[in-house]
């Protein structure tokens, strides 16, 4: 199910100079803002929770997920280079699964690690806030990578649709509209964070059991459907 060659090509595509700069910009911004907030406001648990929830989990993680998830396969489909992979004796489910693993790894590194660093800067992990939001970032990275990898497989406008989802649905509707919160990866991951942190600083509109079911279901179904869609791509010689 995992092919090292496909993984190496995907890492190379995702971590090229241009994408690496984009991927690194948001984490650096989060850490810089955390340093400024800590210097101005001191160590405050509520401030740390608000910043990590509002900037890291609601904005940074989904945006990095968009870049990593769609970038893992979208450009290859757009420029036709995916034909090289499809011509090899590889199961298309193996291609999708390998790219998913790479997208998850990249999303985790560029979102969860900066979240942990920012959390320790803000309040030294008081009330387990830094660890709780880091776990939420790790969990949501999996679901986002699967969702945006699917988008990259089914649409040539995957980045646009991904940004709409990340910025409009997750950051706006997922935070403000009660009904939309149930269908928000952010809220599902917050349920996990709430379990880790305990207390009232980290809250979610979704229960832990429901959140776990949705996270697993979305990841599995998105990965499966991406594999199915990749199978429908025909090589010129097959038509």
């Amino acid at each position: 199910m995992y092919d090292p060659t496909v993984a190496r090509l995907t890492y190379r595509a995702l971590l090229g100079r241009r994408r690496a700069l984009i991927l690194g910009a948001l984490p650096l911004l989060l850490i810089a803002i955390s340093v400024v907030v800590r210097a101005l406001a001191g160590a405050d648990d509520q401030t740390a929770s608000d910043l990590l929830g509002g900037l890291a989990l609601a904005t940074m993680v989904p945006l990095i997920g968009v870049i990593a998830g769609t970038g893992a396969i979208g450009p290859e489909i757009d420029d036709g280079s995916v034909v090289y992979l499809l011509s090899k004796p590889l199961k298309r489910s193996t291609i999708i699964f390998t790219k998913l693993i790479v997208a998850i790894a990249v999303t985790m590194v560029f979102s969860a690690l900066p979240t942990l660093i920012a959390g320790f800067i803000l309040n030294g992990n008081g009330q387990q806030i830094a660890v709780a939001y880091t776990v939420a970032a790790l969990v949501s990275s999996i679901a986002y990578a699967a969702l945006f990898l699917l988008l990259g497989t089914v649409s040539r406008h995957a980045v646009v649709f991904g940004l709409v989802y990340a910025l409009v649905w997750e950051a706006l509707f997922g935070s403000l509209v009660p009904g939309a919160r149930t269908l928000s990866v952010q809220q599902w991951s917050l349920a996990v964070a709430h379990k880790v942190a305990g207390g009232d600083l980290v809250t979610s509109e979704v229960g832990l059991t429901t959140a776990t079911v949705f996270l697993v279901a979305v990841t599995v179904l998105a990965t499966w459907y991406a594999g199915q869609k990749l199978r429908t791509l025909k090589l010129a010689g097959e038509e």
Side-chain angles (χ1 to χ4, degrees), residues 28-40:
L28 290 175
L29 177 63
L30 172 65
I31 292 173
I33 291 175
S34 299
V35 171
V36 173
V37 170
R38 176 62 186 265
L40 295 176

Side-chain angles (χ1 to χ4, degrees), residues 56-148:
L57 198 62
T59 304
M60 183 185 73
V61 181
L63 286 178
I64 290 176
V66 170
I67 297 170
T70 60
I73 194 168
E76 292 177 309
I77 293 177
D78 290 343
D79 63 20
S81 60
V82 73
V83 171
Y84 169 79
L85 289 178
L86 300 183
S87 65
K88 300 298 179 181
L90 288 172
K91 291 183 179 179
R92 299 189 181 185
S93 58
T94 298
I95 296 173
I96 287 294
F97 184 76
T98 302
K99 288 182 173 295
L100 174 64
I101 295 300
V102 173
I104 289 172
V106 170
T107 306
M108 285 181 172
V109 168
F110 282 92
S111 62
L113 183 59
T115 299
L116 181 64
I117 295 171
F120 273 96
I121 291 172
L122 287 166
N123 76 332
N125 194 37
Q127 299 194 49
Q128 293 292 305
I129 290 175
V131 172
Y133 278 104
T134 299
V135 171
L138 290 170
V139 168
S140 59
S141 292
I142 299 172
Y144 283 132
L147 277 173
F148 297 132

Side-chain angles (χ1 to χ4, degrees), residues 18 35 53 71 109 155 172 187 211:
R18 184 178 177 182
V35 171
V109 168
S155 173
L172 184 60
Q187 291 297 322

Side-chain angles (χ1 to χ4, degrees), residues 127 193-203:
Q127 299 194 49
H194 173 71
K195 179 66 175 179
V196 174
D200 299 323
L201 282 175
V202 184
T203 60

